[in-house]
Amino acid sequence: MFSRALALTALALARVSSAATSTGGLTILAPGGDSLWWLFQQPNNIVWTCGESTFPQFTIWINNSDVTLLTAITAIISVEQNFNCNQGIDPNLLNVPLGTGYTIVMTNINNSSDVYAVSDPFEIKPLAIGYPPVSATPVDQGSATVSKGASSTGSSTGSSTGTAGGAAPTKSGAASRVLAASSGVLAAGALVGLLAVV
């Protein structure tokens, strides 16, 4: 019974529109759109409007409607604190292929069908392309958060925090193992649900 409920939740999340959405002041600033991509098997980051958000915490997922790239929506971070404003993603935490149409989804930690925000679709590109320039990421006016990305050829104007290479400090270690396990359960649950529907 639990796996069926999990599968139905995964299916509901998988149908989230690919157009950017936000509620409660939470908007995903990066990645998203043509100028804010991720690099394949490299540290990447997620930046959001923590200053305007009314949500103290949320779950972060990655999604793609192209099942040849991602078979099911996958949890990246089970509980992320809003006040962090950005989160680096360790390349060992998430193994997804090169491609277009990816979105980041933020949901209620207790009810994953309660979607808070969805990013614009973005691409995962090869390392040779390099990180997007810092100036490509919008600024969170409510908290004066500046992009945590970096460019190998560009430079930042104004204050910027985070590490070079386009990523803020990452979640790894035990947390990544827990998330990897939950992602596998979610993907398996989605498959069970799909088979039950057919």
Side-chain angles (χ1 to χ4, degrees), residues 36-62:
L36 294 168
W37 58 85
W38 274 4
L39 291 181
F40 179 64
Q41 295 183 336
Q42 298 299 310
N44 290 291
N45 63 332
I46 301 169
V47 181
W48 61 89
T49 54
C50 60
E52 292 88 11
S53 176
T54 59
F55 305 115
Q57 56 193 12
F58 39 81
T59 298
I60 300 177
W61 308 77
I62 189 166

PDB file of all heavy atoms in Angstrom, residues 36-62:
ATOM      1  N   LEU A  36      21.252  29.486 -17.866  1.00  0.00           N
ATOM      2  CA  LEU A  36      21.595  28.947 -16.549  1.00  0.00           C
ATOM      3  C   LEU A  36      21.517  27.426 -16.564  1.00  0.00           C
ATOM      4  O   LEU A  36      20.522  26.822 -16.186  1.00  0.00           O
ATOM      5  CB  LEU A  36      20.673  29.530 -15.471  1.00  0.00           C
ATOM      6  CG  LEU A  36      20.841  31.030 -15.239  1.00  0.00           C
ATOM      7  CD1 LEU A  36      19.707  31.577 -14.396  1.00  0.00           C
ATOM      8  CD2 LEU A  36      22.179  31.318 -14.596  1.00  0.00           C
ATOM      9  N   TRP A  37      22.585  26.800 -17.018  1.00  0.00           N
ATOM     10  CA  TRP A  37      22.649  25.346 -17.161  1.00  0.00           C
ATOM     11  C   TRP A  37      23.481  24.739 -16.036  1.00  0.00           C
ATOM     12  O   TRP A  37      24.080  25.440 -15.229  1.00  0.00           O
ATOM     13  CB  TRP A  37      23.265  25.000 -18.514  1.00  0.00           C
ATOM     14  CG  TRP A  37      24.641  25.566 -18.713  1.00  0.00           C
ATOM     15  CD1 TRP A  37      25.830  25.018 -18.315  1.00  0.00           C
ATOM     16  CD2 TRP A  37      24.974  26.806 -19.347  1.00  0.00           C
ATOM     17  NE1 TRP A  37      26.882  25.830 -18.658  1.00  0.00           N
ATOM     18  CE2 TRP A  37      26.386  26.938 -19.291  1.00  0.00           C
ATOM     19  CE3 TRP A  37      24.224  27.814 -19.941  1.00  0.00           C
ATOM     20  CZ2 TRP A  37      27.050  28.034 -19.813  1.00  0.00           C
ATOM     21  CZ3 TRP A  37      24.887  28.905 -20.463  1.00  0.00           C
ATOM     22  CH2 TRP A  37      26.279  29.008 -20.407  1.00  0.00           C
ATOM     23  N   TRP A  38      23.513  23.398 -16.014  1.00  0.00           N
ATOM     24  CA  TRP A  38      24.406  22.644 -15.133  1.00  0.00           C
ATOM     25  C   TRP A  38      25.444  21.952 -15.995  1.00  0.00           C
ATOM     26  O   TRP A  38      25.214  21.699 -17.177  1.00  0.00           O
ATOM     27  CB  TRP A  38      23.633  21.596 -14.346  1.00  0.00           C
ATOM     28  CG  TRP A  38      23.023  22.108 -13.076  1.00  0.00           C
ATOM     29  CD1 TRP A  38      23.022  23.377 -12.601  1.00  0.00           C
ATOM     30  CD2 TRP A  38      22.313  21.323 -12.113  1.00  0.00           C
ATOM     31  NE1 TRP A  38      22.352  23.434 -11.406  1.00  0.00           N
ATOM     32  CE2 TRP A  38      21.914  22.190 -11.087  1.00  0.00           C
ATOM     33  CE3 TRP A  38      21.973  19.978 -12.029  1.00  0.00           C
ATOM     34  CZ2 TRP A  38      21.190  21.750  -9.974  1.00  0.00           C
ATOM     35  CZ3 TRP A  38      21.255  19.544 -10.940  1.00  0.00           C
ATOM     36  CH2 TRP A  38      20.873  20.423  -9.916  1.00  0.00           C
ATOM     37  N   LEU A  39      26.575  21.614 -15.374  1.00  0.00           N
ATOM     38  CA  LEU A  39      27.612  20.847 -16.056  1.00  0.00           C
ATOM     39  C   LEU A  39      27.562  19.384 -15.619  1.00  0.00           C
ATOM     40  O   LEU A  39      27.390  19.088 -14.433  1.00  0.00           O
ATOM     41  CB  LEU A  39      29.003  21.419 -15.770  1.00  0.00           C
ATOM     42  CG  LEU A  39      29.294  22.788 -16.377  1.00  0.00           C
ATOM     43  CD1 LEU A  39      30.716  23.218 -16.034  1.00  0.00           C
ATOM     44  CD2 LEU A  39      29.072  22.803 -17.878  1.00  0.00           C
ATOM     45  N   PHE A  40      27.733  18.511 -16.570  1.00  0.00           N
ATOM     46  CA  PHE A  40      27.693  17.067 -16.353  1.00  0.00           C
ATOM     47  C   PHE A  40      28.808  16.614 -15.413  1.00  0.00           C
ATOM     48  O   PHE A  40      29.971  16.960 -15.610  1.00  0.00           O
ATOM     49  CB  PHE A  40      27.818  16.365 -17.710  1.00  0.00           C
ATOM     50  CG  PHE A  40      27.806  14.867 -17.649  1.00  0.00           C
ATOM     51  CD1 PHE A  40      26.686  14.182 -17.194  1.00  0.00           C
ATOM     52  CD2 PHE A  40      28.904  14.145 -18.051  1.00  0.00           C
ATOM     53  CE1 PHE A  40      26.668  12.807 -17.151  1.00  0.00           C
ATOM     54  CE2 PHE A  40      28.905  12.758 -18.017  1.00  0.00           C
ATOM     55  CZ  PHE A  40      27.775  12.090 -17.553  1.00  0.00           C
ATOM     56  N   GLN A  41      28.435  15.856 -14.391  1.00  0.00           N
ATOM     57  CA  GLN A  41      29.351  15.271 -13.408  1.00  0.00           C
ATOM     58  C   GLN A  41      30.279  16.295 -12.766  1.00  0.00           C
ATOM     59  O   GLN A  41      31.444  16.012 -12.495  1.00  0.00           O
ATOM     60  CB  GLN A  41      30.159  14.132 -14.042  1.00  0.00           C
ATOM     61  CG  GLN A  41      29.288  12.966 -14.438  1.00  0.00           C
ATOM     62  CD  GLN A  41      30.078  11.800 -15.008  1.00  0.00           C
ATOM     63  OE1 GLN A  41      31.180  11.959 -15.512  1.00  0.00           O
ATOM     64  NE2 GLN A  41      29.500  10.616 -14.923  1.00  0.00           N
ATOM     65  N   GLN A  42      29.758  17.493 -12.522  1.00  0.00           N
ATOM     66  CA  GLN A  42      30.508  18.561 -11.855  1.00  0.00           C
ATOM     67  C   GLN A  42      29.671  19.113 -10.705  1.00  0.00           C
ATOM     68  O   GLN A  42      28.456  18.942 -10.690  1.00  0.00           O
ATOM     69  CB  GLN A  42      30.826  19.694 -12.840  1.00  0.00           C
ATOM     70  CG  GLN A  42      31.702  19.280 -13.993  1.00  0.00           C
ATOM     71  CD  GLN A  42      33.050  18.779 -13.538  1.00  0.00           C
ATOM     72  OE1 GLN A  42      33.742  19.428 -12.753  1.00  0.00           O
ATOM     73  NE2 GLN A  42      33.452  17.608 -14.022  1.00  0.00           N
ATOM     74  N   PRO A  43      30.285  19.803  -9.741  1.00  0.00           N
ATOM     75  CA  PRO A  43      29.484  20.475  -8.714  1.00  0.00           C
ATOM     76  C   PRO A  43      28.602  21.532  -9.372  1.00  0.00           C
ATOM     77  O   PRO A  43      29.068  22.288 -10.230  1.00  0.00           O
ATOM     78  CB  PRO A  43      30.537  21.131  -7.810  1.00  0.00           C
ATOM     79  CG  PRO A  43      31.809  20.416  -8.103  1.00  0.00           C
ATOM     80  CD  PRO A  43      31.718  19.976  -9.541  1.00  0.00           C
ATOM     81  N   ASN A  44      27.339  21.549  -9.015  1.00  0.00           N
ATOM     82  CA  ASN A  44      26.393  22.534  -9.543  1.00  0.00           C
ATOM     83  C   ASN A  44      25.642  23.145  -8.373  1.00  0.00           C
ATOM     84  O   ASN A  44      25.805  22.711  -7.233  1.00  0.00           O
ATOM     85  CB  ASN A  44      25.431  21.854 -10.521  1.00  0.00           C
ATOM     86  CG  ASN A  44      26.126  21.436 -11.801  1.00  0.00           C
ATOM     87  OD1 ASN A  44      26.532  22.259 -12.600  1.00  0.00           O
ATOM     88  ND2 ASN A  44      26.300  20.125 -11.988  1.00  0.00           N
ATOM     89  N   ASN A  45      24.844  24.157  -8.644  1.00  0.00           N
ATOM     90  CA  ASN A  45      24.142  24.781  -7.542  1.00  0.00           C
ATOM     91  C   ASN A  45      22.706  25.151  -7.894  1.00  0.00           C
ATOM     92  O   ASN A  45      22.325  25.243  -9.056  1.00  0.00           O
ATOM     93  CB  ASN A  45      24.902  26.013  -7.035  1.00  0.00           C
ATOM     94  CG  ASN A  45      25.015  27.101  -8.067  1.00  0.00           C
ATOM     95  OD1 ASN A  45      25.019  26.850  -9.260  1.00  0.00           O
ATOM     96  ND2 ASN A  45      25.106  28.334  -7.608  1.00  0.00           N
ATOM     97  N   ILE A  46      21.931  25.323  -6.827  1.00  0.00           N
ATOM     98  CA  ILE A  46      20.544  25.775  -6.920  1.00  0.00           C
ATOM     99  C   ILE A  46      20.465  27.058  -6.097  1.00  0.00           C
ATOM    100  O   ILE A  46      20.963  27.106  -4.968  1.00  0.00           O
ATOM    101  CB  ILE A  46      19.572  24.717  -6.354  1.00  0.00           C
ATOM    102  CG1 ILE A  46      19.716  23.397  -7.118  1.00  0.00           C
ATOM    103  CG2 ILE A  46      18.134  25.227  -6.404  1.00  0.00           C
ATOM    104  CD1 ILE A  46      18.987  22.237  -6.465  1.00  0.00           C
ATOM    105  N   VAL A  47      19.879  28.104  -6.669  1.00  0.00           N
ATOM    106  CA  VAL A  47      19.726  29.389  -5.990  1.00  0.00           C
ATOM    107  C   VAL A  47      18.242  29.743  -6.004  1.00  0.00           C
ATOM    108  O   VAL A  47      17.570  29.561  -7.022  1.00  0.00           O
ATOM    109  CB  VAL A  47      20.539  30.503  -6.712  1.00  0.00           C
ATOM    110  CG1 VAL A  47      20.391  31.838  -5.991  1.00  0.00           C
ATOM    111  CG2 VAL A  47      21.998  30.114  -6.837  1.00  0.00           C
ATOM    112  N   TRP A  48      17.726  30.233  -4.888  1.00  0.00           N
ATOM    113  CA  TRP A  48      16.298  30.572  -4.812  1.00  0.00           C
ATOM    114  C   TRP A  48      16.089  31.861  -4.021  1.00  0.00           C
ATOM    115  O   TRP A  48      16.999  32.385  -3.402  1.00  0.00           O
ATOM    116  CB  TRP A  48      15.496  29.426  -4.194  1.00  0.00           C
ATOM    117  CG  TRP A  48      15.894  29.062  -2.797  1.00  0.00           C
ATOM    118  CD1 TRP A  48      15.401  29.594  -1.629  1.00  0.00           C
ATOM    119  CD2 TRP A  48      16.884  28.100  -2.404  1.00  0.00           C
ATOM    120  NE1 TRP A  48      16.016  29.021  -0.557  1.00  0.00           N
ATOM    121  CE2 TRP A  48      16.926  28.097  -0.989  1.00  0.00           C
ATOM    122  CE3 TRP A  48      17.724  27.245  -3.108  1.00  0.00           C
ATOM    123  CZ2 TRP A  48      17.781  27.265  -0.273  1.00  0.00           C
ATOM    124  CZ3 TRP A  48      18.583  26.419  -2.388  1.00  0.00           C
ATOM    125  CH2 TRP A  48      18.596  26.427  -0.990  1.00  0.00           C
ATOM    126  N   THR A  49      14.866  32.357  -4.048  1.00  0.00           N
ATOM    127  CA  THR A  49      14.496  33.616  -3.387  1.00  0.00           C
ATOM    128  C   THR A  49      14.154  33.360  -1.924  1.00  0.00           C
ATOM    129  O   THR A  49      12.993  33.344  -1.533  1.00  0.00           O
ATOM    130  CB  THR A  49      13.290  34.265  -4.084  1.00  0.00           C
ATOM    131  OG1 THR A  49      12.232  33.302  -4.139  1.00  0.00           O
ATOM    132  CG2 THR A  49      13.619  34.753  -5.473  1.00  0.00           C
ATOM    133  N   CYS A  50      15.167  33.216  -1.105  1.00  0.00           N
ATOM    134  CA  CYS A  50      14.938  32.940   0.315  1.00  0.00           C
ATOM    135  C   CYS A  50      14.385  34.155   1.048  1.00  0.00           C
ATOM    136  O   CYS A  50      13.676  34.017   2.039  1.00  0.00           O
ATOM    137  CB  CYS A  50      16.215  32.455   0.983  1.00  0.00           C
ATOM    138  SG  CYS A  50      17.567  33.646   0.906  1.00  0.00           S
ATOM    139  N   GLY A  51      14.678  35.357   0.566  1.00  0.00           N
ATOM    140  CA  GLY A  51      14.219  36.569   1.229  1.00  0.00           C
ATOM    141  C   GLY A  51      12.725  36.763   1.157  1.00  0.00           C
ATOM    142  O   GLY A  51      12.111  37.311   2.074  1.00  0.00           O
ATOM    143  N   GLU A  52      12.107  36.315   0.078  1.00  0.00           N
ATOM    144  CA  GLU A  52      10.666  36.499  -0.103  1.00  0.00           C
ATOM    145  C   GLU A  52       9.851  35.272   0.292  1.00  0.00           C
ATOM    146  O   GLU A  52       8.644  35.338   0.401  1.00  0.00           O
ATOM    147  CB  GLU A  52      10.347  36.826  -1.567  1.00  0.00           C
ATOM    148  CG  GLU A  52      10.842  38.171  -2.028  1.00  0.00           C
ATOM    149  CD  GLU A  52      12.273  38.121  -2.553  1.00  0.00           C
ATOM    150  OE1 GLU A  52      12.794  37.021  -2.748  1.00  0.00           O
ATOM    151  OE2 GLU A  52      12.863  39.188  -2.736  1.00  0.00           O
ATOM    152  N   SER A  53      10.496  34.138   0.480  1.00  0.00           N
ATOM    153  CA  SER A  53       9.782  32.883   0.692  1.00  0.00           C
ATOM    154  C   SER A  53       9.145  32.798   2.078  1.00  0.00           C
ATOM    155  O   SER A  53       9.754  33.167   3.080  1.00  0.00           O
ATOM    156  CB  SER A  53      10.724  31.697   0.511  1.00  0.00           C
ATOM    157  OG  SER A  53      10.052  30.498   0.809  1.00  0.00           O
ATOM    158  N   THR A  54       7.921  32.291   2.110  1.00  0.00           N
ATOM    159  CA  THR A  54       7.228  32.066   3.379  1.00  0.00           C
ATOM    160  C   THR A  54       7.413  30.637   3.871  1.00  0.00           C
ATOM    161  O   THR A  54       6.914  30.280   4.929  1.00  0.00           O
ATOM    162  CB  THR A  54       5.716  32.338   3.224  1.00  0.00           C
ATOM    163  OG1 THR A  54       5.188  31.464   2.217  1.00  0.00           O
ATOM    164  CG2 THR A  54       5.452  33.777   2.835  1.00  0.00           C
ATOM    165  N   PHE A  55       8.127  29.802   3.117  1.00  0.00           N
ATOM    166  CA  PHE A  55       8.332  28.399   3.479  1.00  0.00           C
ATOM    167  C   PHE A  55       9.666  28.244   4.214  1.00  0.00           C
ATOM    168  O   PHE A  55      10.710  28.580   3.664  1.00  0.00           O
ATOM    169  CB  PHE A  55       8.325  27.507   2.235  1.00  0.00           C
ATOM    170  CG  PHE A  55       7.080  27.663   1.409  1.00  0.00           C
ATOM    171  CD1 PHE A  55       7.144  28.189   0.130  1.00  0.00           C
ATOM    172  CD2 PHE A  55       5.844  27.297   1.912  1.00  0.00           C
ATOM    173  CE1 PHE A  55       6.004  28.339  -0.638  1.00  0.00           C
ATOM    174  CE2 PHE A  55       4.694  27.447   1.155  1.00  0.00           C
ATOM    175  CZ  PHE A  55       4.767  27.971  -0.121  1.00  0.00           C
ATOM    176  N   PRO A  56       9.659  27.708   5.431  1.00  0.00           N
ATOM    177  CA  PRO A  56      10.913  27.576   6.171  1.00  0.00           C
ATOM    178  C   PRO A  56      11.819  26.467   5.634  1.00  0.00           C
ATOM    179  O   PRO A  56      13.029  26.530   5.795  1.00  0.00           O
ATOM    180  CB  PRO A  56      10.461  27.262   7.594  1.00  0.00           C
ATOM    181  CG  PRO A  56       9.107  26.640   7.451  1.00  0.00           C
ATOM    182  CD  PRO A  56       8.497  27.286   6.233  1.00  0.00           C
ATOM    183  N   GLN A  57      11.241  25.457   5.006  1.00  0.00           N
ATOM    184  CA  GLN A  57      12.022  24.344   4.461  1.00  0.00           C
ATOM    185  C   GLN A  57      11.235  23.643   3.368  1.00  0.00           C
ATOM    186  O   GLN A  57      10.025  23.830   3.253  1.00  0.00           O
ATOM    187  CB  GLN A  57      12.391  23.356   5.571  1.00  0.00           C
ATOM    188  CG  GLN A  57      11.201  22.836   6.322  1.00  0.00           C
ATOM    189  CD  GLN A  57      11.592  22.116   7.600  1.00  0.00           C
ATOM    190  OE1 GLN A  57      12.724  22.185   8.053  1.00  0.00           O
ATOM    191  NE2 GLN A  57      10.648  21.406   8.186  1.00  0.00           N
ATOM    192  N   PHE A  58      11.934  22.836   2.578  1.00  0.00           N
ATOM    193  CA  PHE A  58      11.288  22.143   1.466  1.00  0.00           C
ATOM    194  C   PHE A  58      12.164  20.992   1.004  1.00  0.00           C
ATOM    195  O   PHE A  58      13.329  20.886   1.393  1.00  0.00           O
ATOM    196  CB  PHE A  58      11.012  23.103   0.295  1.00  0.00           C
ATOM    197  CG  PHE A  58      12.105  24.096   0.048  1.00  0.00           C
ATOM    198  CD1 PHE A  58      13.245  23.750  -0.657  1.00  0.00           C
ATOM    199  CD2 PHE A  58      12.001  25.386   0.548  1.00  0.00           C
ATOM    200  CE1 PHE A  58      14.263  24.667  -0.872  1.00  0.00           C
ATOM    201  CE2 PHE A  58      13.018  26.313   0.335  1.00  0.00           C
ATOM    202  CZ  PHE A  58      14.149  25.954  -0.372  1.00  0.00           C
ATOM    203  N   THR A  59      11.593  20.127   0.172  1.00  0.00           N
ATOM    204  CA  THR A  59      12.333  19.050  -0.467  1.00  0.00           C
ATOM    205  C   THR A  59      12.683  19.499  -1.879  1.00  0.00           C
ATOM    206  O   THR A  59      11.875  20.150  -2.545  1.00  0.00           O
ATOM    207  CB  THR A  59      11.491  17.758  -0.522  1.00  0.00           C
ATOM    208  OG1 THR A  59      11.198  17.357   0.813  1.00  0.00           O
ATOM    209  CG2 THR A  59      12.224  16.632  -1.234  1.00  0.00           C
ATOM    210  N   ILE A  60      13.893  19.168  -2.330  1.00  0.00           N
ATOM    211  CA  ILE A  60      14.331  19.538  -3.679  1.00  0.00           C
ATOM    212  C   ILE A  60      14.419  18.279  -4.539  1.00  0.00           C
ATOM    213  O   ILE A  60      15.022  17.279  -4.135  1.00  0.00           O
ATOM    214  CB  ILE A  60      15.688  20.258  -3.654  1.00  0.00           C
ATOM    215  CG1 ILE A  60      15.590  21.541  -2.821  1.00  0.00           C
ATOM    216  CG2 ILE A  60      16.166  20.567  -5.070  1.00  0.00           C
ATOM    217  CD1 ILE A  60      16.896  22.303  -2.679  1.00  0.00           C
ATOM    218  N   TRP A  61      13.815  18.343  -5.719  1.00  0.00           N
ATOM    219  CA  TRP A  61      13.766  17.230  -6.675  1.00  0.00           C
ATOM    220  C   TRP A  61      14.344  17.683  -8.010  1.00  0.00           C
ATOM    221  O   TRP A  61      14.374  18.882  -8.295  1.00  0.00           O
ATOM    222  CB  TRP A  61      12.312  16.825  -6.940  1.00  0.00           C
ATOM    223  CG  TRP A  61      11.474  16.546  -5.744  1.00  0.00           C
ATOM    224  CD1 TRP A  61      10.900  17.447  -4.893  1.00  0.00           C
ATOM    225  CD2 TRP A  61      11.075  15.260  -5.267  1.00  0.00           C
ATOM    226  NE1 TRP A  61      10.178  16.808  -3.928  1.00  0.00           N
ATOM    227  CE2 TRP A  61      10.257  15.459  -4.128  1.00  0.00           C
ATOM    228  CE3 TRP A  61      11.321  13.958  -5.699  1.00  0.00           C
ATOM    229  CZ2 TRP A  61       9.696  14.405  -3.415  1.00  0.00           C
ATOM    230  CZ3 TRP A  61      10.754  12.911  -4.996  1.00  0.00           C
ATOM    231  CH2 TRP A  61       9.955  13.139  -3.862  1.00  0.00           C
ATOM    232  N   ILE A  62      14.723  16.710  -8.842  1.00  0.00           N
ATOM    233  CA  ILE A  62      15.037  16.992 -10.243  1.00  0.00           C
ATOM    234  C   ILE A  62      14.068  16.174 -11.086  1.00  0.00           C
ATOM    235  O   ILE A  62      13.720  15.039 -10.723  1.00  0.00           O
ATOM    236  CB  ILE A  62      16.510  16.691 -10.604  1.00  0.00           C
ATOM    237  CG1 ILE A  62      16.824  17.216 -12.011  1.00  0.00           C
ATOM    238  CG2 ILE A  62      16.838  15.213 -10.438  1.00  0.00           C
ATOM    239  CD1 ILE A  62      18.301  17.272 -12.354  1.00  0.00           C
TER     240      ILE A  62
END
